[in-house]
């Protein structure tokens, strides 16, 4: 592996795997959130500044079979050009002769983009011959696509073997890894993880792993009710995974054994229907009446979480505290976001990772007040689980 900072790009064509899998408006095909494009700009600029040229390569959406206009990267070329301040040429197909001619003639300072690599099924099957064809577009391979680093696809992983001495992480990917590693391995204390969201089943491996890395583990959102039911509480119609009751108790015991302060909310905002307009009340989380369900954490829990978070030096947040999409049940999630912002202002390192907490922090316009917001949902979760991500391994090997 080479370091992007010290590499001499002059006269070289860098083939950069980015994650430009951005959400598009169904009707107009306008980009509705360009975070992933903006996040990749520093890497592209650095290569251009050092005298190189750039061939961008990405997937977009989930095309079923071959070319589909709505998944063409041509739809986002002008947006990338305007963010970069350099005109990006569209190479058409990712492996056609037009694309190869264009990349072969690329001059220093120029940028082009190939069309969606997922127009070929060989991308997701990780077919070596397809990866080899793609590799012909560049003299060096830069992986800056954290969002797909957990996939062993042709353009994210297999391709690296065709650049044995000329492969590297882009700035974004390096920063993502650094952020998670800081949470998992920092010596600073106290370290706090806040894990929320719908189901305990989808976060179980992360929770188990975090018990070895944190001092406080706050469990919120829908998954908290499985813990409450497991200890004998009444949870009414709240979201519960009955198959995970025993597992919940095992986690409680493991936290005790490891000296981790496992925080389960003590009170909850309840509703008599899963609706923003439902009747509401606030009760002890162990005493939810029949016919009611917990949809947010209560006031006492909010202030207890606030105290833990404010006192922390390292903070990881994954998953909302309640059904934050509904205004009447977003207070717990907003409050936790604000506590994290306060702690960050006081010197803590805060990482927001995984789909819905990222959506929440963006919704509350607080993304620039925390230390790092991850661009990779699934990849971030797998990295937190301790899995080796193939896209990362392929560069390190
Ligand atoms: P996840 O994708 O597992 O992080 O879950 C995020 C989803 O969990 C969001 O859509 C929330 O609305 C939902 N959620 C959070 N708290 C609750 C709750 N108490 N009951 C039901 N769903 C919840």
């Amino acid at each position: 592996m080479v370091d992007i900072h010290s590499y001499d790009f002059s006269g070289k064509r860098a083939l950069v795997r980015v994650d430009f899998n951005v959400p598009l408006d169904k009707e107009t095909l306008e980009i509705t959130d360009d975070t992933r494009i903006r996040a990749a700009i520093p890497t592209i600029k650095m290569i251009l500044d050092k005298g190189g040229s750039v061939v961008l390569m990405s997937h977009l959406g989930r095309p079923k079979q071959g070319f589909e206009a709505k998944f063409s990267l041509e739809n986002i070329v002008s947006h990338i050009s305007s963010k970069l301040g350099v005109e990006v040429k569209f190479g058409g197909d990712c492996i056609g002769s037009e694309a190869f001619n264009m990349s072969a003639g690329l001059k220093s300072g120029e940028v082009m983009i190939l069309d969606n690599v997922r127009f070929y099924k060989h991308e997701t099957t990780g077919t070596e011959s397809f990866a080899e064809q793609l590799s012909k577009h560049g003299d060096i391979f830069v992986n800056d696509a954290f969002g797909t680093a957990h996939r062993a696809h042709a353009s994210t992983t297999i391709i690296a073997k065709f650049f044995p001495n000329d492969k590297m992480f882009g700035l974004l990917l390096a920063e993502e890894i650094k952020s998670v590693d800081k949470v998992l391995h920092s010596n600073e204390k106290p370290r706090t993880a806040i894990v929320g969201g719908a189901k305990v089943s989808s976060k179980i491996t992360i929770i188990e792993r975090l018990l070895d890395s944190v001092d406080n583990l706050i469990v919120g959102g829908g998954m908290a009710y499985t813990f409450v039911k497991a200890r004998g509480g009444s949870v009414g119609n709240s979201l519960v995974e009955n198959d995970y009751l025993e597992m919940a108790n095992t986690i409680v015991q493991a936290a005790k054994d490891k000296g981790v302060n496992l925080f389960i909310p003590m009170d909850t905002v309840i509703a008599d229907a899963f609706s923003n307009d439902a009747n509401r009340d606030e009760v002890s989380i162990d005493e939810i009446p029949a016919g009611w369900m917990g949809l947010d954490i209560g006031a006492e829990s909010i202030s207890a979480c606030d105290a833990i978070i404010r006192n922390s030096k390292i903070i990881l947040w994954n998953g909302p505290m309640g059904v934050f999409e509904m205004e009447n049940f977003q207070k717990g999630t907003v409050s936790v976001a604000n506590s994290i912002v306060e702690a960050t202002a006081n010197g803590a390192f805060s990482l927001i990772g995984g789909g819905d907490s990222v959506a929440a922090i963006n919704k509350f316009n607080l993304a620039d007040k925390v230390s790092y917001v991850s661009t990779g949902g699934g990849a971030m979760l797998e990295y937190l689980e301790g899995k080796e991500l193939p896209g990362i391994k392929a560069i390190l090997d």
Side-chain angles (χ1 to χ4, degrees):
M1 185 181 95
V2 249
D3 185 347
I4 190 167
H5 294 94
S6 53
Y7 194 84
D8 180 10
F9 284 92
S10 56
K12 296 266 174 73
R13 291 175 306 156
L15 177 57
V16 186
R17 178 48 159 108
V18 285
D19 179 8
F20 284 172
N21 182 27
V22 288
L24 302 180
D25 182 278
K26 280 199 180 67
E27 303 293 318
T28 63
L29 297 182
E30 299 269 327
I31 298 169
T32 53
D33 179 355
D34 71 350
T35 310
R36 287 176 163 171
I37 292 176
R38 285 185 286 110
I41 298 293
T43 297
I44 305 171
K45 279 200 167 142
M46 177 180 260
I47 296 167
L48 298 179
D49 287 349
K50 288 175 160 219
S53 58
V54 172
V55 180
L56 295 168
M57 171 169 73
S58 180
H59 74 288
L60 175 64
R62 291 170 184 243
K64 288 198 183 64
Q65 237 179 30
F67 178 83
E68 276 180 78
K70 66 176 174 184
F71 293 123
S72 173
L73 288 164
E74 192 168 16
N75 298 315
I76 64 170
V77 174
S78 61
H79 191 93
I80 303 165
S81 301
S82 75
K83 288 291 149 195
L84 188 60
V86 172
E87 198 209 321
V88 177
K89 301 174 182 194
F90 180 58
D93 194 358
C94 59
I95 50 171
S97 57
E98 184 192 344
F100 283 116
N101 287 337
M102 193 184 277
S103 64
L106 216 56
K107 298 190 191 70
S108 289
E110 290 186 335
V111 183
M112 67 172 280
I113 187 164
L114 305 170
D115 209 350
N116 198 338
V117 285
R118 287 204 192 162
F119 286 155
Y120 292 84
K121 66 173 187 331
H122 304 310
E123 165 63 2
T124 48
T125 52
T127 305
E128 200 166 309
S129 55
F130 179 62
E132 186 173 17
Q133 278 182 286
L134 291 173
S135 74
K136 307 281 186 222
H137 285 295
D139 307 310
I140 17 162
F141 175 59
V142 181
N143 189 353
D144 212 18
F146 182 66
T148 43
H150 57 319
R151 308 273 183 229
H153 292 172
S155 72
T156 62
T157 302
I158 313 302
I159 195 168
K161 71 171 65 155
F162 299 103
F163 298 91
N165 303 311
D166 297 289
K167 53 184 180 175
M168 65 190 82
F169 294 130
L171 298 172
L172 172 67
L173 189 44
E175 196 62 30
E176 294 269 6
I177 299 170
K178 207 170 108 190
S179 302
V180 194
D181 285 347
K182 185 155 181 169
V183 167
L184 293 177
H185 306 300
S186 168
N187 290 328
E188 286 183 83
K189 284 176 168 248
R191 290 173 289 180
T192 297
I194 307 141
V195 182
K199 294 183 169 176
V200 71
S201 54
S202 61
K203 308 269 169 86
I204 206 79
T205 320
I206 292 172
I207 292 177
E208 284 175 327
R209 176 99 201 274
L210 286 172
L211 288 177
D212 290 323
S213 307
V214 300
D215 305 293
N216 304 295
L217 178 64
I218 297 175
V219 171
M223 68 176 69
Y225 306 94
T226 297
F227 284 84
V228 174
K229 184 168 179 186
R231 71 184 178 202
S234 305
V235 295
N237 283 349
S238 304
L239 189 65
V240 163
E241 287 176 283
N242 285 314
D243 293 350
Y244 281 81
L245 297 175
E246 211 172 300
M247 179 56 96
N249 283 333
T250 306
I251 290 171
V252 171
Q253 188 55 47
K256 268 193 201 128
D257 295 345
K258 294 180 183 202
V260 175
N261 169 33
L262 176 67
F263 176 87
I264 309 284
M266 54 279 271
D267 57 351
T268 175
V269 177
I270 53 170
D272 60 359
F274 191 80
S275 157
N276 193 45
D277 305 322
N279 291 308
R280 272 173 290 149
D281 201 353
E282 203 161 310
V283 296
S284 152
I285 202 164
D286 289 271
E287 293 165 15
I288 302 175
W292 291 68
M293 65 190 84
L295 295 184
D296 197 5
I297 58 173
E300 220 183 306
S301 305
I302 287 176
S303 63
C305 287
D306 183 60
I308 296 172
I309 294 168
R310 271 174 197 259
N311 185 38
S312 303
K313 287 276 170 278
I314 300 278
I315 301 162
L316 166 74
W317 182 26
N318 173 283
M321 295 292 101
V323 186
F324 75 103
E325 297 94 334
M326 297 183 199
E327 211 184 328
N328 286 331
F329 307 105
Q330 69 171 20
K331 197 170 170 197
T333 305
V334 178
S335 303
V336 160
N338 280 317
S339 302
I340 296 173
V341 165
E342 289 290 327
T344 311
N346 289 327
F349 175 81
S350 54
L351 166 63
I352 318 300
D356 272 322
S357 32
V358 174
I361 204 98
N362 285 332
K363 182 177 176 189
F364 309 143
N365 290 319
L366 296 171
D368 56 351
K369 297 196 169 75
V370 295
S371 310
Y372 198 76
V373 180
S374 174
T375 59
M380 168 62 77
L381 297 187
E382 290 197 16
Y383 196 79
L384 279 173
E385 284 177 6
K387 288 191 186 145
E388 196 170 49
L389 306 192
I392 293 177
K393 184 171 183 291
I395 298 289
L396 295 174
D397 273 351

